[in-house]
Amino acid sequence: MDVLLELNGSQRSILKRDKIKIRLRGRRQVKDLISYIQSSMPNIFPRYAGYTVFVNNLPAPFEQELKDNDKISFIPHLGGG
Amino acid sequence: MKCINLERYSPTDIHCGYTDHILRIDLSEKSVEIQRLLPEFKERYIGGRGYGLKFIWDETDASTRYDSPENLIVLSGGPLCGDPRFPGSGKFVVSTISPLTDTFIDSNVGGHFGPKIKLCGFDAIVVKGISDIEVVLFVDGDRGTISFYEAPIFDDSLELKSIRYVERLIRELNGGSVDESFAAVGAGIGAKNSLFGIINSIYFDRIRGRIRAKQAGRGGTGTVMRHKGLRAIILKSSRSYLQANQPYDRDSVKDAGASLKKVISQMDPHQLRLSSWGTTGLVEYMDRFGILPIQNYQYGSHREAKKVYGDVFLDDFMEKGYADGCFKGCNLACAKGAKEILIKRGPFEGERVEVDGPEYETIAAVTNMGIFDPQFVMEYNFYCDQYGLDTISMGVSAGFLMECVQRGYLSEEDIGYRLNWGDTEGAARLLHETAKGEGFGKICSLGVHRAKRWVSERYAKRYGKDPEEVFSELSRFSMELKGLEFSMYIPKESLAQQGGYGFSLKGPHHDEAWLIFIDQVHNEIPSFEMKAEALRWFPLIRTWFNAVGLCKLHWIDVRHPDASKTPEPSHNIPTLRYYIRYLNATTGWKKDIDDIIRDSERLYLLQKLINIRNGKGTREYDLIPDRAMGPAFFNEYEAKRSYYDNWLKEKVDGDIPNDPKERHKMVMELRREDFQRLCDAVYHEKGFNSKGIPLPEKLKEVGLWDRKIEEFISRYHQK
């Protein structure tokens, strides 16, 4: 199953790309994707960073099942100074 | 420079964050008074906005307008202002009666001026009166002198460049050089000629080796200053900031500051990255979620918006590799700057200049005019700062006038030139005319509310219509409330942010409640009750930041890694605990979060009382325009038809009309009803009656009850 990781802000700036296609094998929940990304790109998606995961532009719980061609993004918490 | 009057004084030392003295300036008399405050005063009114509120409540009345001699400008940091061991402690607040809203306004700003007020021996500077000639005030804490100087005219160029003008003043006073012992505030020609003039907070950046400026931008504080005949206030003190606050427990201050700095270093690079990008990074997120104002808030995203994303400014304009905090010890360091920017338009065409910014709000003010040119953003930023204009009010006023052209309420003949969406030449001309008080700029300089009146009267006369009817039509898309222009976020899809803007006491600025992301994007306050509670809590905690002299960004824009383990992650309580520790370690108090919320509520309600007294405090002044609630016009509905139809289906539980125009009408009717329901719920949370008047028991609960308040409030409860 392929999903598309959309990159924003510093992620896009560091990786110099707007999106990355990721092939998922085995388990297919949001938390599996997070685990995969955190281990493969720890400098960009560290474990402690405060993000909400979005699937197809909607906040997604960790247990949500992913589907082929889902668009995933990690949106930081903004509070507005 | 010609000295008019010089007074001598002995600067008071700071003890536990306070000097317990204020400096009173009477510009009419060119006189000085130093007033000692009783200990109860600071316990009740804290500092910053709190001091501004108390002095303005006591010393002005319902008839006071921005240009009345008794109107005050109060400049005050607060007990936590000025200690580099804790990040973000350079903030101070300017308070006055606003020329835009005719009621209390405050605007917070960074830099070194707030800390220097205390180093010069005062907790606040309070200015009243109107000078018969333009003057400069110089407080020299090293020599113990307070001097009035006749404001010199150096040359025409410096009359247009207010930051450079103040730099020249400092050099004149300091034998030709400028250094870190000085800080200043100044107001420019745009402040003289418009109702949305700013006060620049000017300081020397030792690392860059140049003068820099931050802005008290909202509500026309600079207009008041300039109207009083006060061109600048310059402070000098060579005392070390590290000795500044003389805290009760120095080690705890250091420990609290180190804890917060560690969280920022750990989290910010993976969140908003303010330390690298400043606030420019917001553009991308606002564009993505339809929150970025485009064409007077008609649309929230645009295919060309990428041209003004944060990395564009970082790569093409900003100086990199500097510690950028606007005050010492700040590792969030969001105060970005640029140098050698080639100006391509206007009176300084061909010059290479330094620009402090851009901030998100300035970029969005430009997209609000349908312009997506980063070079234009830099020039707009430069000119607004030097002229002394609020980038937000300027961009929203220009956007409103452009939409008047789009919808046929204004013609090229009315304006004298083309003023269409995306027209950089027209927008630039309007900016320069506004600052100089020339041509059609005289209308723009009034701000949206008053310009709306001018347009409606002119249009009604031309077509034989009722001016009030036209005024109502224009009100659907005029992005102002209480007389203040909205800040740069589209709240159409966030009921909580609609409330954040509507109930904001100073007018629709996000300083009081910026809930749009936690509501619309992260969905952290999904229920109606949660939104109402957020609209009670956030304004109170944010009021506290403006009372103590601290920047909010470290708390609100960098989430603590442990926040997710708390019941209300968006409150970011683990970080707030560092602030409480800092407060108690500085002052010797023993307060907890409930205590500071109660202190804030006292100030919040005092501001509400001033609004009621000045005619802006009742329910009708909390009702936001259609444009802020949803798709005011059919073109806006069509641009997001799928979203609005889905919202409607959920709302009516199924069947919706076939005709899109009927659906659009229904969306707006239901949104107006929702906002009214929100009013009822939030007023209940805040302890107000249905008209928005605080209940006596609420005022008593926070200790805001004396004979004056009792007599005042009882009149409104009898009505």
Side-chain angles (χ1 to χ4, degrees):
Chain A
M1 180 178 70
D2 292 337
V3 296
L4 205 59
L5 179 61
E6 297 178 324
L7 301 169
N8 298 290
S10 59
Q11 307 151 1
R12 184 171 51 75
S13 177
I14 293 166
L15 291 171
K16 306 284 181 209
R17 331 167 45 171
D18 288 337
K19 51 192 92 164
I20 302 172
K21 196 182 226 180
I22 293 177
R23 179 150 293 173
L24 278 181
R25 299 176 199 285
R27 301 195 64 178
R28 297 174 173 193
Q29 291 184 341
V30 166
K31 63 185 175 192
D32 304 317
L33 175 69
I34 294 171
S35 175
Y36 170 73
I37 291 171
Q38 285 178 335
S39 59
S40 58
M41 292 178 266
N43 295 333
I44 300 157
F45 299 97
R47 287 189 187 282
Y48 51 76
Y51 289 104
T52 298
V53 182
F54 279 65
V55 177
N56 301 326
N57 274 331
L58 291 172
F62 286 0
E63 292 72 29
Q64 182 167 321
E65 293 290 331
L66 292 169
K67 302 187 301 296
D68 208 20
N69 296 322
D70 272 349
K71 292 176 181 169
I72 320 294
S73 53
F74 289 71
I75 304 296
H77 295 287
L78 310 180
Chain B
M1 286 168 60
K2 183 180 171 187
C3 183
I4 305 166
N5 185 21
L6 183 146
E7 303 277 350
R8 297 193 182 280
Y9 80 109
S10 298
T12 308
D13 282 339
I14 307 168
H15 177 66
C16 296
Y18 288 96
T19 69
D20 291 328
H21 287 74
I22 60 167
L23 173 61
R24 286 186 174 271
I25 303 295
D26 185 336
L27 289 167
S28 301
E29 303 295 327
K30 317 282 185 304
S31 65
V32 167
E33 183 195 348
I34 294 172
Q35 180 187 353
R36 181 169 189 150
L37 298 175
L38 295 172
E40 304 88 89
F41 192 89
K42 67 185 172 209
E43 284 159 20
R44 286 179 64 77
Y45 302 105
I46 315 300
R49 181 193 288 176
Y51 279 20
L53 284 164
K54 178 58 176 166
F55 294 132
I56 286 171
W57 170 249
D58 283 348
E59 296 172 38
T60 67
D61 61 33
S63 67
T64 303
R65 292 293 174 263
Y66 82 97
D67 52 359
S68 306
E70 75 272 18
N71 189 16
L72 304 177
I73 301 173
V74 181
L75 307 110
S76 175
L80 305 187
C81 173
D83 193 327
R85 285 168 287 221
F86 198 89
S89 69
K91 286 275 188 175
F92 70 102
V93 167
V94 184
S95 308
T96 191
I97 296 293
S98 162
L100 290 169
T101 67
D102 297 324
T103 186
F104 181 90
I105 190 85
D106 72 298
S107 194
N108 72 74
V109 53
H112 292 215
F113 190 86
K116 289 280 185 207
I117 296 175
K118 287 208 290 193
L119 289 180
C120 286
F122 308 106
D123 292 336
I125 299 174
V126 181
V127 181
K128 72 171 183 181
I130 296 173
S131 177
D132 51 349
I133 55 164
E134 289 203 310
V135 295
V136 172
L137 182 72
F138 178 36
V139 180
D140 187 337
D142 291 343
R143 290 184 179 168
T145 57
I146 300 166
S147 318
F148 293 87
Y149 288 90
E150 199 172 301
I153 296 174
F154 296 118
D155 62 48
D156 288 348
S157 161
L158 289 187
E159 287 300 301
L160 298 178
K161 287 181 181 168
S162 64
I163 300 169
R164 284 282 180 210
Y165 176 85
V166 173
E167 178 177 357
R168 176 74 180 272
L169 290 174
I170 295 171
R171 289 183 189 281
E172 292 284 324
L173 293 166
N174 195 43
S177 65
V178 57
D179 59 54
E180 273 190 314
S181 65
F182 287 88
V185 290
I189 191 170
K192 186 178 180 183
N193 291 318
S194 82
L195 297 184
F196 45 82
I198 60 168
I199 287 179
N200 275 304
S201 164
I202 296 163
Y203 61 101
F204 181 71
D205 181 338
R206 188 172 52 82
I207 297 169
R208 281 187 166 87
R210 69 170 170 89
I211 284 283
R212 302 193 66 193
K214 299 291 288 179
Q215 289 72 37
R218 301 312 320 272
T221 56
T223 302
V224 179
M225 183 169 166
R226 197 67 195 251
H227 185 82
K228 287 186 173 299
L230 184 57
R231 290 289 294 268
I233 303 174
I234 297 170
L235 306 180
K236 177 174 168 56
S237 173
S238 305
R239 288 176 60 191
S240 162
Y241 289 116
L242 284 172
Q243 302 302 318
N245 272 342
Q246 296 298 331
Y248 174 79
D249 180 348
R250 191 181 304 270
D251 289 341
S252 285
V253 167
K254 198 174 171 184
D255 184 54
S259 299
L260 180 55
K261 286 179 185 181
K262 188 177 169 191
V263 169
I264 289 163
S265 300
Q266 185 186 20
M267 303 301 284
D268 177 59
H270 304 290
Q271 294 187 3
L272 196 50
R273 231 182 170 199
L274 287 164
S275 55
S276 300
W277 293 31
T279 57
T280 60
L282 282 168
V283 179
E284 176 171 358
Y285 293 107
M286 300 308 134
D287 181 44
R288 174 172 177 158
F289 290 101
I291 300 169
L292 179 70
I294 313 279
Q295 297 186 0
N296 196 31
Y297 302 74
Q298 289 184 76
Y299 312 109
S301 53
H302 197 279
R303 63 185 184 285
E304 289 192 71
K306 282 187 175 146
K307 292 178 182 171
V308 289
Y309 278 7
D311 45 346
V312 174
F313 294 97
L314 187 69
D315 292 343
D316 297 348
F317 296 102
M318 285 175 184
E319 293 175 278
K320 289 177 270 293
Y322 290 97
D324 273 313
C326 67
F327 185 61
K328 291 172 182 297
C330 177
N331 63 333
L332 195 56
C334 70
K336 301 300 165 192
K339 67 175 182 180
E340 297 291 311
I341 302 302
L342 178 63
I343 297 295
K344 296 181 178 173
R345 302 174 186 83
F348 301 112
E349 182 181 341
E351 280 191 30
R352 288 191 178 274
V353 300
E354 294 140 356
V355 179
D356 288 315
E359 301 277 358
Y360 162 76
E361 303 279 346
T362 300
I363 301 168
V366 171
T367 63
N368 193 48
M369 296 183 269
I371 296 169
F372 302 94
D373 174 356
Q375 169 70 26
F376 184 88
V377 171
M378 297 307 290
E379 294 186 24
Y380 178 81
N381 193 145
F382 167 77
Y383 278 118
C384 282
D385 287 355
Q386 292 289 354
Y387 286 152
L389 293 171
D390 176 15
T391 59
I392 299 174
S393 286
M394 179 67 217
V396 178
S397 299
F400 168 71
L401 294 167
M402 286 175 173
E403 187 164 351
C404 285
V405 173
Q406 175 196 332
R407 300 196 184 277
Y409 291 100
L410 277 176
S411 66
E412 192 175 326
E413 194 180 293
D414 292 320
I415 297 166
Y417 45 92
R418 284 164 54 89
L419 190 64
N420 298 328
W421 301 122
D423 177 358
T424 51
E425 296 312 312
R429 183 167 172 183
L430 185 63
L431 166 64
H432 302 307
E433 286 187 351
T434 301
K436 294 174 186 173
E438 295 172 351
F440 190 67
K442 285 182 190 166
I443 305 306
C444 185
S445 72
L446 301 171
V448 171
H449 182 78
R450 289 164 178 82
K452 179 168 56 173
R453 178 66 63 195
W454 184 88
V455 174
S456 56
E457 283 171 5
R458 192 175 176 93
Y459 181 83
K461 193 173 176 187
R462 182 180 296 157
Y463 292 102
K465 293 195 164 192
D466 176 4
E468 288 308 315
E469 249 177 56
V470 180
F471 189 82
S472 294
E473 288 169 22
L474 298 179
S475 293
R476 291 170 64 196
F477 64 89
S478 60
M479 292 303 283
E480 63 88 12
L481 187 66
K482 301 182 177 84
L484 185 71
E485 290 73 25
F486 276 65
S487 66
M488 308 313 303
Y489 305 92
I490 296 189
K492 293 178 195 180
E493 295 178 32
S494 166
L495 181 60
Q497 187 58 46
Q498 290 168 29
Y501 277 139
F503 308 128
S504 175
L505 296 175
K506 72 172 75 170
H509 186 67
H510 57 277
D511 179 41
E512 209 174 271
W514 196 89
L515 303 176
I516 199 161
F517 236 63
I518 65 171
D519 183 33
Q520 177 182 330
V521 177
H522 290 295
N523 201 26
E524 290 181 307
I525 44 173
S527 71
F528 195 81
E529 291 72 24
M530 290 168 92
K531 292 181 207 308
E533 163 55 18
L535 284 162
R536 184 193 73 86
W537 191 82
F538 278 96
L540 297 182
I541 192 69
R542 283 169 167 263
T543 293
W544 181 78
F545 278 85
N546 286 331
V548 292
L550 288 175
C551 178
K552 292 183 276 296
L553 286 183
H554 313 71
W555 158 63
I556 198 65
D557 273 331
V558 184
R559 196 170 279 192
H560 195 288
D562 294 337
S564 60
K565 299 169 194 160
T566 63
E568 299 277 5
S570 63
H571 291 192
N572 205 14
I573 296 293
T575 292
L576 267 185
R577 292 201 182 102
Y578 302 141
Y579 286 90
I580 304 293
R581 205 183 328 157
Y582 177 38
L583 174 73
N584 291 333
T586 298
T587 59
W589 296 340
K590 291 183 174 56
K591 299 205 174 192
D592 59 20
I593 292 181
D594 290 341
D595 293 326
I596 67 167
I597 289 288
R598 200 173 308 113
D599 285 340
S600 293
E601 196 161 25
R602 188 180 310 117
L603 306 184
Y604 184 85
L605 290 169
L606 185 55
Q607 189 170 352
K608 181 71 172 173
L609 294 181
I610 296 175
N611 273 6
I612 294 166
R613 183 192 73 179
N614 286 32
K616 292 289 173 77
T618 43
R619 187 171 181 130
E620 62 268 36
Y621 293 100
D622 289 349
L623 301 182
I624 55 175
D626 278 0
R627 171 65 52 79
M629 282 186 205
F633 290 85
F634 191 65
N635 62 310
E636 295 161 67
Y637 165 77
E638 281 198 309
K640 294 208 80 169
R641 187 193 281 199
S642 163
Y643 161 76
Y644 287 119
D645 285 353
N646 285 333
W647 181 84
L648 195 55
K649 277 178 196 162
E650 275 185 31
K651 200 80 186 159
V652 300
D653 206 14
D655 286 346
I656 60 172
N658 286 330
D659 180 0
K661 294 207 163 158
E662 281 298 310
R663 294 204 290 270
H664 170 231
K665 191 179 161 195
M666 206 167 163
V667 164
M668 286 310 297
E669 283 170 359
L670 289 170
R671 288 191 166 227
R672 289 186 202 109
E673 284 174 19
D674 271 0
F675 191 82
Q676 292 287 0
R677 275 204 312 135
L678 186 71
C679 272
D680 291 334
V682 172
Y683 288 175
H684 180 74
E685 285 282 341
K686 288 177 187 282
F688 299 168
N689 70 11
S690 63
K691 291 176 184 164
I693 309 290
L695 299 168
E697 52 266 37
K698 171 53 74 174
L699 295 167
K700 288 175 190 167
E701 183 187 313
V702 298
L704 203 61
W705 195 253
D706 57 25
R707 184 168 291 175
K708 179 182 172 183
I709 291 172
E710 186 177 359
E711 286 174 5
F712 172 75
I713 207 73
S714 63
R715 291 205 299 272
Y716 288 88
H717 284 290
Q718 283 162 7
K719 276 180 187 175

